[in-house]
């Protein structure tokens, strides 16, 4: 993407001078320096990523951008010393500008929210702790938001080990399973879901839609829920196929994720956003599995909070759930 000379001069900041913070989230805000301007806050959730986090951060730090940025790492109770290198005296000069937050096993959704809570940028870029980014990633994604009048922008996601495997956003099938959009649209294009492994969102939209769902467990559906919710609030999500991020697809998680965790998150999403018929249909997808009683028990324990959330969303949103499923021709 080509930027005007004015924009080049205005945005020419490559590094930020902020303090490393390692403590609970409510204390991080007190220790962060606010004297430098930040355009984009890069939020990297991390849990047992000792083999990946360092090269991910190196990739981000070495990438060239005209927009200024900060990096916030949220270590959600790793037990493999994932972030130890950030604290060593040997490495401190290299990583001194990174904000480190420690959370207590709160799950993928809430860990991302913890990072957003202390973010200073007008744009939030969320990415996994196992990606490699290109030069001008932030410049191009923010520009994509501006030229397309969108609120969430996703890059093309490439398999780290296979350049021919590319995804241009995601959608749902008729069982609410997420599937990759593999056809290159060739232009900036509207998509149902931006994969959580890498996407940019305006802070204004993020705050308006209440961020990621704080009632979710461990991992699963958090990126799908926030994108679905964004569309219902009247925001727009696009993919820029010319911007490419490499992602390490792993055969399994480096921490325990159960089927009941994912099923609970899916049902929680349904109760928060779907009309009655779709809630019943969602239940029918999982009620024959052995873990279903666990899911029901967990839903019941949070039912008041879920219904309060539902009431808030139904009151504030512009579209109902029919809008989304019709717009993207999803039969559910």
């Amino acid at each position: 993407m080509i930027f005007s000379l004015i924009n080049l001069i205005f945005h020419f900041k490559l590094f930020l001078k902020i303090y490393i913070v390692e403590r609970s989230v409510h204390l991080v805000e007190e220790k962060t320096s606010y004297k430098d301007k930040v355009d984009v806050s890069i939020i990297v959730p991390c849990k047992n990523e000792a083999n990946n986090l360092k090269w991910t951060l190196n990739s981000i730090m070495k990438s060239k951008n005209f927009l200024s940025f900060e990096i916030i790492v949220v270590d959600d109770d790793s037990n493999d010393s994932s972030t130890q290198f950030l604290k060593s005296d040997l490495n401190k000069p290299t990583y001194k500008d990174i904000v480190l937050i420690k959370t207590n096993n709160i799950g993928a959704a809430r860990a991302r929210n913890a990072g957003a809570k202390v973010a200073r940028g007008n744009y939030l870029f969320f990415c996994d702790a196992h990606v490699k980014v290109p030069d001008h990633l932030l410049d191009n994604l923010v520009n994509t938001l501006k030229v397309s009048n969108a609120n969430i922008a996703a890059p093309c996601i490439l398999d780290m080990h296979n350049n021919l495997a590319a995804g241009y956003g995601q959608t749902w099938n008729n069982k609410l399973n997420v599937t990759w959009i593999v056809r290159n649209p060739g232009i900036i294009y509207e998509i149902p879901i931006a994969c959580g492994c890498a996407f940019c969102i305006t802070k204004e939209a993020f705050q308006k839609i209440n961020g990621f769902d704080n009632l979710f467990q461990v991992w699963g559906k958090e990126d799908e829920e926030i994108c679905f919710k964004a569309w219902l609030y009247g925001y727009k999500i696009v993919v820029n196929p010319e911007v490419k991020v490499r992602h390490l697809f792993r055969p399994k998680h480096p921490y325990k994720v159960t089927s009941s965790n994912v099923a609970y998150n899916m049902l929680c999403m349904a109760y928060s956003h779907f009309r009655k018929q779709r809630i019943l249909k969602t239940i029918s997808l999982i009620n024959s599995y052995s873990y279903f009683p666990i899911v029901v028990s967990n839903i019941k324990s949070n039912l008041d909070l879920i219904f309060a959330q539902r009431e808030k969303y139904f009151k504030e949103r512009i579209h109902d759930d029919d809008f989304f499923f019709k717009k993207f021709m999803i039969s559910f």
Side-chain angles (χ1 to χ4, degrees):
M1 308 298 291
I2 300 176
F3 288 81
S4 67
L5 181 59
I6 294 176
N7 280 334
L8 293 181
I9 295 172
F10 183 76
H11 293 302
F12 190 71
K13 274 190 176 183
L14 297 178
F15 300 104
L16 304 171
K17 296 180 179 179
I18 52 182
Y19 299 104
I20 291 180
V21 182
E22 184 195 0
R23 57 200 67 230
S24 61
V25 176
H26 66 280
L27 291 180
V28 171
E29 293 176 290
E30 300 174 5
K31 294 295 183 180
T32 304
S33 169
Y34 286 84
K35 63 182 180 181
D36 291 327
K37 177 180 176 294
V38 176
D39 294 310
V40 184
S41 296
I42 301 173
I43 299 167
V44 187
C46 164
K47 188 175 181 69
N48 297 339
E49 296 274 6
N51 296 324
N52 306 318
L53 179 63
K54 190 172 184 177
W55 55 257
T56 295
L57 295 180
N58 288 344
S59 172
I60 294 171
M61 293 171 66
K62 291 177 181 177
S63 65
K64 299 174 183 177
N65 285 281
F66 296 118
L67 293 172
S68 61
F69 64 90
E70 65 179 348
I71 302 173
I72 302 168
V73 174
V74 185
D75 185 353
D76 190 26
D77 201 27
S78 296
N79 56 28
D80 67 348
S81 302
S82 292
T83 55
Q84 190 63 38
F85 71 95
L86 293 175
K87 298 176 290 182
S88 72
D89 292 336
L90 183 63
N91 292 321
K92 275 182 181 178
T94 302
Y95 302 103
K96 63 182 176 64
D97 293 336
I98 292 177
V99 176
L100 175 60
I101 298 172
K102 293 280 193 175
T103 53
N104 187 25
N105 196 31
I106 60 177
R110 292 174 63 196
R112 285 165 169 77
N113 287 341
K117 184 179 180 182
V118 302
R120 297 185 287 136
N122 291 324
Y123 301 92
L124 309 177
F125 177 72
F126 293 95
C127 71
D128 286 348
H130 40 272
V131 300
K132 288 186 177 180
V133 305
D135 286 341
H136 301 293
L137 169 71
L138 304 179
D139 300 333
N140 288 333
L141 288 181
V142 169
N143 191 56
T144 297
L145 292 174
K146 292 178 178 179
V147 301
S148 60
N149 193 29
N151 308 92
I152 299 177
C156 165
I157 302 298
L158 297 176
D159 187 322
M160 188 80 72
H161 301 303
N162 181 6
N163 288 340
L164 298 178
Y168 302 91
Q170 297 178 324
T171 187
W172 280 325
N173 63 17
N174 60 3
K175 293 185 177 181
L176 287 189
N177 292 321
V178 71
T179 61
W180 283 97
I181 299 170
V182 295
R183 182 178 178 181
N184 187 341
I187 58 173
I188 296 173
Y189 192 77
E190 291 185 1
I191 56 172
I193 299 165
C195 178
C197 60
F199 74 82
C200 185
I201 181 173
T202 63
K203 181 189 280 187
E204 179 183 8
F206 184 86
Q207 292 176 336
K208 177 64 178 177
I209 64 179
N210 210 38
F212 292 92
D213 196 315
N214 275 310
L215 301 179
F216 274 21
Q217 298 178 347
V218 190
W219 177 92
K221 300 292 182 180
E222 59 274 351
D223 47 358
E224 300 164 45
E225 189 274 341
I226 196 173
C227 290
F228 180 78
K229 182 168 55 182
W231 277 112
L232 299 193
Y233 267 75
Y235 295 118
K236 184 164 73 171
I237 304 172
V238 298
V239 63
N240 187 333
E242 298 303 316
V243 183
K244 298 177 171 62
V245 169
R246 298 180 184 277
H247 177 261
L248 177 64
F249 289 91
R250 302 172 296 186
K252 63 179 182 178
H253 292 278
Y255 51 89
K256 185 179 180 180
V257 179
T258 67
S259 296
S260 66
N261 296 142
V262 179
Y264 163 84
N265 291 349
M266 182 170 70
L267 193 53
C268 182
M269 176 178 65
Y271 274 115
S272 296
H273 301 294
F274 292 178
R275 57 184 172 90
K276 182 179 178 180
Q277 291 83 352
R278 284 202 177 92
I279 294 174
L280 294 175
K281 193 169 183 179
T282 305
I283 292 172
S284 72
L285 295 175
I286 59 176
N287 63 3
S288 62
Y289 290 98
S290 60
Y291 54 75
F292 184 65
I294 300 174
V295 174
V296 172
S297 176
N298 288 333
I299 288 290
K300 285 183 177 179
S301 66
N302 286 319
L303 205 56
D304 289 344
L305 293 174
I306 293 172
F307 281 160
Q309 186 166 265
R310 177 183 178 88
E311 183 178 2
K312 169 183 169 64
Y313 293 152
F314 274 54
K315 184 183 299 184
E316 294 179 353
R317 69 190 194 181
I318 295 174
H319 306 292
D320 63 14
D321 51 329
D322 284 340
F323 162 82
F324 178 90
F325 289 101
K326 289 177 180 178
K327 177 178 178 63
F328 294 108
M329 296 180 289
I330 299 170
S331 179
F332 184 79

